[in-house]
Amino acid sequence: MENAIDIFTPRFSNEDAAREHLEALHWSDGPVCPHCGSFNAKRLPPQKRKPTKAHPGGTVRKGVVQCNDCRQQYTVTVGTVFERSKVPLNKWLLVNHLLCSSKKGMSAHQIARMIGVTYKTAWFMMHRIREAMKDTDQGPMGGYGKTIEADETYVGGKVKNRHASKRDGKKKSPFSGKQPVVSLVERGGKVRSFHVAKVTGPLLRQVLVTNAHRGSWLMTDDNNGYKAAGKEYTGHGVVKHSLGEYGRAGVFHTNTIEGFFSIFKRGIIGVYHHVSEAHLKRYAVEFDFRYNTRKLNDFERSTEALMGARGKRLTYRRSFAAAA
């Protein structure tokens, strides 16, 4: 099978093979210094570290390279989301593959059980990989002759399913207490999702005009918040969901974005169960990434995430501060 990858391949079980695989991806033309950008470097023999309480006999650091210009030493993980991690690199590559190849994601508890680490470690590893999945191309979506679909969804449990202590007896909106996510998708192209504080006309316009080319055709439902922004585009097609209309003439519909939301919501409800408001944007990045690489096989998608790991750092302090 084209998508089949043997999870017992050496890079998933051997740290040296994992490092060599990462070097082949990031250093195809030879080592590049992350400090000064120089290609002038020499490889050093394995470096013996000082003994510690955890490792009385000391450990060996392999894959060390020294820059001949700035004289700094580095490995292929420096300047990536894997930097300074005590988790073996082969486990990082395995978790990256599992997260990229699982259509609706994989929970940190499941990852922790599979690779033998604590839940906190697995949780942090997955947030680092989501950081690597971020799309660095923030140019406008769509263009002349192209169609952009825009819609919003709400993440959170139903009011009727909440504990009695969290219900005050008053009749509330079905969206009460939920977190809104606005997404734009180019038909046949990419999707971008944004966790927003509140769905309003000005906010929807800001999301649209900063991400979607005004030469595009805009397709939305009959939410009044899209009316003002729709006038700035080549055309604005509206599907009246409130009247039970979900498509017209085979062109006027928001079925593409609804299809993306179906996978997104199934992942949140069925896999992650609970998502912190502070980290919802990172989960949105994860689902965006898998949708945007849907034409790649699992191996190619995993490689794409590994390539995105460079130039991005996410420390535990930064990650935890976001949740505060």
Side-chain angles (χ1 to χ4, degrees), residues 61-82:
R61 187 186 184 204
K62 298 181 180 179
V64 182
V65 179
Q66 179 169 301
C67 178
N68 290 329
D69 292 328
C70 70
R71 310 302 295 173
Q72 293 280 351
Q73 293 183 2
Y74 57 92
T75 65
V76 71
T77 61
V78 174
T80 71
V81 297
F82 313 121

Side-chain angles (χ1 to χ4, degrees), residues 83-99:
E83 184 175 349
R84 303 191 69 173
S85 173
K86 295 181 180 179
V87 178
L89 191 57
N90 56 291
K91 291 190 176 184
W92 273 105
L93 265 59
L94 178 58
V95 173
N96 177 76
H97 171 69
L98 292 172
L99 195 58

Side-chain angles (χ1 to χ4, degrees), residues 66-319:
Q66 179 169 301
C67 178
N68 290 329
D69 292 328
C70 70
R71 310 302 295 173
Q72 293 280 351
Q73 293 183 2
Y74 57 92
T75 65
V76 71
T77 61
V78 174
T80 71
V81 297
F82 313 121
E83 184 175 349
R84 303 191 69 173
S85 173
K86 295 181 180 179
V87 178
L89 191 57
N90 56 291
K91 291 190 176 184
W92 273 105
L93 265 59
L94 178 58
V95 173
N96 177 76
H97 171 69
L98 292 172
L99 195 58
C100 288
S101 60
S102 303
K103 189 176 181 68
K104 299 178 181 68
M106 186 171 285
S107 73
H109 278 295
Q110 180 69 31
I111 291 293
R113 291 192 296 269
M114 292 178 71
I115 69 170
V117 298
T118 65
Y119 165 73
K120 189 166 76 170
T121 296
W123 178 87
F124 185 40
M125 289 175 72
M126 294 176 74
H127 276 313
R128 281 190 174 186
I129 293 172
R130 291 182 185 111
E131 191 75 10
M133 289 176 171
K134 278 186 178 179
D135 190 356
T136 55
D137 178 14
Q138 292 301 308
M141 303 170 65
Y144 293 102
K146 296 183 179 180
T147 301
I148 299 289
E149 294 181 21
D151 202 0
E152 67 284 341
T153 191
Y154 293 81
V155 177
K158 297 178 180 179
V159 175
K160 68 178 183 180
N161 292 334
R162 295 174 191 169
H163 191 275
S165 64
K166 297 183 179 180
R167 288 180 281 168
D168 56 14
K170 296 180 181 179
K171 189 174 181 180
K172 294 184 177 180
S173 162
F175 305 130
S176 175
K178 296 187 177 185
Q179 297 301 316
V181 173
V182 177
S183 295
L184 312 178
V185 64
E186 178 183 330
R187 289 183 184 172
K190 292 186 175 183
V191 66
R192 284 185 197 167
S193 300
F194 307 88
H195 173 209
V196 298
K198 191 176 181 181
V199 177
T200 62
L203 189 143
L204 291 174
R205 179 190 176 277
Q206 180 185 0
V207 170
L208 281 165
V209 300
T210 55
N211 290 279
H213 193 287
R214 286 181 173 85
S216 312
W217 261 88
L218 180 65
M219 291 290 171
T220 70
D221 58 18
D222 49 354
N223 185 332
N224 287 332
Y226 294 108
K227 280 187 177 180
K231 295 176 182 177
E232 301 183 43
Y233 287 81
T234 295
H236 180 199
V238 177
V239 181
K240 297 181 179 180
H241 287 174
S242 59
L243 299 179
E245 181 185 49
Y246 291 91
R248 190 169 68 254
V251 176
F252 293 85
H253 64 80
T254 57
N255 295 340
T256 313
I257 194 67
E258 294 289 354
F260 168 74
F261 281 153
S262 69
I263 298 174
F264 178 66
K265 296 295 283 289
R266 285 297 97 199
I268 297 296
I269 296 169
V271 176
Y272 296 117
H273 305 307
H274 170 77
V275 173
S276 166
E277 176 184 348
H279 298 293
L280 179 55
K281 61 183 179 182
R282 291 202 177 103
Y283 289 90
V285 164
E286 175 193 337
F287 284 89
D288 284 357
F289 173 81
R290 278 196 294 265
Y291 181 88
N292 294 339
T293 56
R294 62 194 181 280
K295 295 181 181 179
L296 304 180
N297 61 39
D298 291 343
F299 171 76
E300 293 167 335
R301 188 178 304 108
S302 300
T303 299
E304 192 76 13
L306 290 176
M307 292 299 291
R310 181 152 301 280
K312 300 171 184 174
R313 281 296 312 277
L314 181 65
T315 63
Y316 188 75
R317 185 183 299 275
R318 255 187 67 201
S319 179

Side-chain angles (χ1 to χ4, degrees), residues 9-21:
T9 194
R11 67 175 176 276
F12 294 144
S13 57
N14 181 277
E15 194 166 7
D16 291 338
R19 187 185 66 255
E20 290 169 3
H21 180 72

